[in-house]
Amino acid sequence: MTAPADATARLTGFVAALRAHGVRIGTGETVDAAQAAAALGFADRVLLREGLAATLLHTTDQRRLFDAVFDLYFPRGVGAPEGETGDRDDLRDRLADALAAGDDILLAQLAVEAVDGLGGYGSSPGSDGWSSYQTLERLRPQTLMARVRDDVRRQGGGEGFTGRLLEDEIRRRIEAFRALVAAEARRRVAERRGRDEIARRAVAPTADRVDFLYAGKDRLAELRRTVQPLARKLATRLAARRRRASRGTIDLRRTLRGSLSTGGVPMRPVLRRRRPARPELVLLCDVSGSVAGFSDFTMLLVQALHDQFSKVRVFAFVNRIDEITGLLDHGAADPEGLGARIRAEATLTGWHGSSDYGVALGEFAERYAGAVGPRTTVFVLGDARTNMSDPNLAAVRQIAERARHVHWLNPEPRAQWGTGDSAAYAYAELVAMHECRNAHQLGALIGRLLPV
Amino acid sequence: MFTSVDDVSARLAETGYLASPAVATTVFLADRLGKPLLVEGPAGVGKTELAKAVAAVAGARLVRLQCYEGVDESRALYEWNHAKQLLRISAGRDETWDETRTDIFSEEFLLPRPLLTAIRGDEPTVLLIDETDKADVEVEGLLLEVLSDFQVTVPELGTITATRRPFVVLTSNASRELSEALRRRCLFLHIGFPDEELERRIVRLKVPGIDAALAKSVVRVVGALRAMDLRKVPSVAETIDWARTLLALGAGTLDATLVRDTLGVILKHQDDVQKAAAKLDLDAV
């Protein structure tokens, strides 16, 4: 079967853009995708999108990325919308109606008009473009909230019990509209600047590959939702490692005793049973502003894994250290509020508010020495930036000597270690330090490093 | 089997399975390209139901392999019937060894397990490999040959190739990461929670006596619960259960007391119940 040359090029360009974002697609899948496109035709965009997703993707977390790139390569329309687009007030009126009705098709159409009418900037061919930020700043859909709510109430839609859900529903519709505007602006820019470039630069990567240090609020929220599935996955991986580790040496005494029933021929070898010693875990987390997102995520992950260990103790520090294990148990029900609660209820800062690894680690070695024993694995989470104060290597050495293992997870890229006030390499000489920039790396590290 | 995506939706709907466009498209492609279908998604969104519905539509026999930890070749593929072989050997006393040997390794003594059964049949077959993620990694290796070439090699008999390719559905809850090799051989379908309109239709189909307004309220509340950060968000199965409960209680409309009393039907953790009650203002009652 031969597809038109243009369609083939479009498809391979699309695949190349996905590969550039780290989606692994082989030639076989591309051929499958082309067959799917041939079977479905290009007429119905939704069917084509689902068909390509079925053939090209293999996991769920790439879907968001896929949809964004798909919108660029197989856009809803081409060029500017037909007909006159109304001014700002007219758009706001129609947007309010569409939000009240929850009409997705109308919302998509309004996003197109809004970007065309309000999002353009610049006039010369080199410097002009389309901005979703500018569109949303001018349109301000979030300020329509009260108006839409009142509209729906007036039409009798907000009565009874479900009335209290109304505000959240409208808020979700507004969020969806903002996403539509962003996608439309990307499409318009892509028409001007070339699709391939925009697909590479302007589409956000999947959540598990976003750097902890630069992740925004909504990205962190998205990550938090992956904690439970990730923990489940890690738990099965740990169970598999445990099973493998328990295949020990032959227990001669029990094998011979078992062989009596088969006339002294050892038919069934009995393996020496390992005592299941559940390891203990101690977490030392820097929760100062710069690395808080990373620490919060890791704490939640370890908390979700707590039944794998006999004991988990969690300590947080900025420049003083305090135990927060108790706070984290509550955290299971309310992960968003975790960071705020830690900062409110634990004593983490002394005279000033910036992080000081030396003092905090020294205090840990002094006050909580009993927490670390020969069965304990210690994880230190932080960027090792000491704000120019003494790194207190003696305290780290002391912890490392008492513990079974000490691992340091550093959310900074390896290239930045040791630059400025980072004492990363000084610490790395004493304990194993691992680069852990995103959830993907963290999952791999935790699966490998956790003791069995 | 199907002529178009709309045909898939319409015929699945006849058997009582309302498919989203994504589901219908992927089922159509799986049939057209002859590839296995790997279905992932949260529990209770109808992954297994999909296989059953496809079997019902195609008038095909459903062969099911339920995976669990420790499932192996002799449970999934085939096994020799040792007891019968022993009987056969002791029954034929005057034969030469060569005759006996060729005889005891013939079809008569083969116990086909689901994978072999699905491949050998002549009639249309839907092979459902349920909860693939529960099986060990070794079983995945076994599946690779079956799923890519639709053939099974039995050393004593040779290679058995499917005369008629079964429609294969694998389901997974993603409790373990399936291997890349297995994923590559399949079309991937993620069944998420349906959108509001589709879920409303599902509720009205599965709970026939329910009032349209009540169905709408139920779906909206469940939608709000899914937007919360809960340990276990309610699935379609829970929505249907809840609708049935409300119907049995004879409720006409939702109110705060009723929701609080029946919240246990949709939420399975005490933490979640408390959190949802706080967010929905149920404590004020």
Side-chain angles (χ1 to χ4, degrees):
Chain A
M1 124 188 47
T2 51
D6 177 45
T8 316
R10 182 70 62 102
L11 188 65
T12 47
F14 177 58
V15 169
L18 285 175
R19 280 187 192 138
H21 277 285
V23 184
R24 287 164 60 187
I25 301 173
T27 317
E29 279 111 312
T30 318
V31 174
D32 284 343
Q35 275 174 346
L40 295 167
F42 287 87
D44 191 330
R45 198 169 158 271
V46 175
L47 294 193
L48 182 65
R49 187 178 66 205
E50 300 305 333
L52 293 185
T55 45
L56 293 175
L57 293 189
H58 303 296
T59 51
T60 322
D61 46 0
Q62 296 159 344
R63 186 56 202 252
R64 224 174 99 141
L65 171 79
F66 175 89
D67 284 345
V69 179
F70 182 86
D71 281 341
L72 290 178
Y73 280 81
F74 302 93
R76 276 198 188 84
V78 183
E82 286 173 23
E84 197 66 19
T85 55
D87 60 355
R88 176 175 176 276
D89 291 334
D90 171 52
L91 269 174
R92 273 177 67 91
D93 289 344
R94 285 195 289 151
L95 181 60
D97 291 345
L99 285 171
D103 185 342
D104 295 334
I105 299 167
L106 197 55
L107 283 176
Q109 193 186 325
L110 283 170
V112 173
E113 287 185 29
V115 171
D116 188 60
L118 306 173
Y121 63 85
S123 51
S124 64
S127 66
D128 61 345
W130 305 92
S131 156
S132 64
Y133 177 75
Q134 181 184 313
T135 313
L136 292 170
E137 272 304 292
R138 289 191 186 162
L139 196 59
R140 298 197 146 273
Q142 62 274 25
T143 57
L144 287 171
M145 181 76 205
R147 179 174 155 190
V148 173
R149 188 189 57 212
D150 294 344
D151 278 355
V152 176
R153 291 242 165 97
R154 208 170 314 120
Q155 290 155 18
E159 284 161 13
F161 178 74
T162 44
R164 63 184 76 181
L165 308 176
L166 193 61
E167 290 204 6
D168 282 334
E169 284 175 352
I170 297 171
R171 207 166 287 133
R172 285 207 292 277
R173 280 178 211 158
I174 293 178
E175 275 312 306
F177 177 74
R178 297 173 74 96
L180 285 171
V181 169
E184 170 64 11
R186 264 203 304 272
R187 180 186 76 77
R188 293 300 289 273
V189 176
E191 281 186 354
R192 182 86 28 118
R193 301 269 167 77
R195 204 183 294 127
D196 296 341
E197 192 197 334
I198 298 302
R200 265 178 250 293
R201 283 198 302 124
V203 175
T206 49
D208 67 337
R209 289 179 198 265
V210 177
D211 271 19
F212 285 121
L213 295 180
Y214 309 116
K217 204 165 153 229
D218 55 332
R219 267 323 172 77
L220 286 175
E222 196 180 324
L223 272 178
R224 269 199 297 271
R225 279 194 289 278
T226 64
V227 164
Q228 289 296 342
L230 183 59
R232 221 161 24 129
K233 215 174 278 176
L234 289 174
T236 39
R237 210 179 293 170
L238 281 179
R241 264 176 61 196
R242 269 192 201 127
R243 221 175 18 244
R244 237 172 294 145
S246 71
R247 275 181 209 151
T249 48
I250 286 183
D251 186 337
L252 202 60
R253 207 170 64 90
R254 287 175 53 222
T255 306
L256 284 182
R257 197 164 56 200
S259 74
L260 290 180
S261 63
T262 49
V265 184
M267 299 284 274
R268 215 171 264 120
V270 182
L271 298 182
R272 204 179 293 276
R273 222 178 279 144
R274 285 251 199 118
R275 295 266 162 268
R278 299 223 150 185
E280 296 173 8
L281 209 60
V282 166
L283 228 58
L284 304 181
C285 312
D286 181 357
V287 292
S288 64
S290 54
V291 291
F294 167 60
S295 296
D296 288 358
F297 181 74
T298 315
M299 275 187 258
L300 289 173
L301 184 61
V302 169
Q303 174 60 27
L305 281 169
H306 73 99
D307 52 351
Q308 300 289 320
F309 303 98
S310 65
K311 202 191 244 173
V312 178
R313 293 182 75 178
V314 185
F315 299 86
F317 63 88
V318 176
N319 52 46
R320 297 201 46 195
I321 198 156
D322 201 358
E323 177 156 11
I324 54 161
T325 315
L327 294 177
L328 214 54
D329 286 338
H330 289 285
D334 177 27
E336 305 111 287
L338 177 66
R341 221 170 33 247
I342 290 173
R343 281 173 267 289
E345 293 184 22
T347 319
L348 303 177
T349 49
W351 303 103
H352 56 98
S354 50
S355 60
D356 185 337
Y357 281 73
V359 173
L361 291 173
E363 194 184 347
F364 176 76
E366 197 179 303
R367 269 175 64 194
Y368 298 104
V372 181
R375 276 167 58 189
T376 321
T377 298
V378 181
F379 278 89
V380 187
L381 317 175
D383 57 5
R385 295 208 170 265
T386 56
N387 286 311
M388 295 303 177
S389 54
D390 172 30
N392 199 353
L393 297 176
V396 177
R397 199 172 292 125
Q398 196 186 330
I399 297 170
E401 273 165 12
R402 297 180 61 105
R404 188 164 146 210
H405 300 290
V406 180
H407 298 288
W408 191 305
L409 305 184
N410 192 334
E412 280 194 344
R414 198 173 281 268
Q416 287 174 25
W417 292 7
T419 59
D421 60 345
S422 168
Y425 283 119
Y427 287 126
E429 279 176 18
L430 298 176
V431 299
M433 189 175 278
H434 310 269
E435 178 192 76
C436 184
R437 286 160 59 188
N438 50 40
H440 180 72
Q441 275 181 336
L442 179 67
L445 277 173
I446 294 262
R448 193 158 51 86
L449 298 181
L450 277 187
V452 287
Chain B
M1 200 149 80
F2 300 106
T3 54
S4 70
V5 178
D6 291 337
D7 182 41
V8 177
S9 312
R11 285 168 63 188
L12 284 179
E14 278 168 27
T15 68
Y17 188 96
L18 297 177
S20 66
V23 172
T25 312
T26 320
V27 168
F28 173 71
L29 283 178
D31 173 44
R32 195 49 76 84
L33 304 184
K35 294 192 88 178
L37 184 58
L38 170 62
V39 189
E40 272 189 4
V45 290
K47 300 188 290 292
T48 308
E49 278 311 306
L50 175 63
K52 292 183 184 163
V54 171
V57 164
R61 160 181 77 136
L62 182 72
V63 178
R64 178 168 180 165
L65 170 64
Q66 182 72 43
C67 294
Y68 50 89
E69 206 171 321
V71 69
D72 58 359
E73 200 163 326
S74 60
R75 299 274 158 199
L77 206 52
Y78 70 90
E79 197 174 14
W80 288 107
N81 190 343
H82 292 301
K84 204 171 169 190
Q85 281 174 331
L86 280 177
L87 276 177
R88 169 69 187 75
I89 292 169
S90 50
R93 291 209 178 277
D94 305 329
E95 286 174 333
T96 63
W97 164 240
D98 280 337
E99 282 168 3
T100 317
R101 189 183 53 198
T102 44
D103 199 35
I104 59 171
F105 287 112
S106 63
E107 297 253 344
E108 194 193 340
F109 298 94
L110 192 68
L111 291 175
R113 301 295 183 205
L115 291 181
L116 187 59
T117 313
I119 280 192
R120 279 211 302 188
D122 284 330
E123 69 256 69
T125 307
V126 173
L127 170 63
L128 166 64
I129 304 177
D130 214 1
E131 309 203 16
T132 317
D133 51 330
K134 297 277 182 346
D136 304 314
V137 185
E138 292 82 7
V139 178
E140 279 187 28
L142 197 71
L143 289 176
L144 292 183
E145 185 189 10
V146 178
L147 296 185
S148 58
D149 300 329
F150 292 97
Q151 63 178 34
V152 170
T153 308
V154 182
E156 294 86 353
L157 291 180
T159 303
I160 302 173
T161 313
T163 43
R164 184 172 187 145
R165 286 195 165 193
F167 185 97
V168 186
V169 179
L170 298 94
T171 73
S172 156
N173 272 328
S175 72
R176 175 171 69 82
E177 197 63 59
L178 295 178
S179 75
E180 191 80 350
L182 184 65
R183 287 176 178 278
R184 274 177 196 285
R185 280 170 176 74
C186 302
L187 291 182
F188 177 74
L189 170 65
H190 177 260
I191 304 189
F193 299 122
D195 61 20
E196 214 181 299
E197 198 255 326
L198 179 61
E199 189 160 23
R200 214 155 50 215
R201 278 168 50 212
I202 294 174
V203 169
R204 299 201 60 192
L205 183 78
K206 297 284 176 192
V207 191
I210 199 164
D211 171 55
L214 181 61
K216 186 174 177 187
S217 312
V218 164
V219 170
R220 277 178 70 187
V221 173
V222 171
L225 290 174
R226 283 186 193 143
M228 290 175 200
D229 217 345
L230 299 178
R231 279 171 70 184
K232 167 81 179 72
V233 291
S235 187
V236 184
E238 272 93 45
T239 317
I240 294 171
D241 280 349
W242 196 34
R244 286 209 178 110
T245 311
L246 293 175
L247 190 68
L249 291 173
T253 50
L254 281 185
D255 60 53
T257 328
L258 188 61
V259 173
R260 194 189 48 193
D261 292 345
T262 54
L263 211 51
V265 179
I266 26 179
L267 298 178
K268 307 291 156 128
H269 291 285
Q270 188 54 31
D271 300 350
D272 287 356
V273 173
Q274 281 168 359
K275 189 168 177 187
K279 287 219 173 163
L280 293 173
D281 282 339
L282 296 179
D283 295 330
V285 190

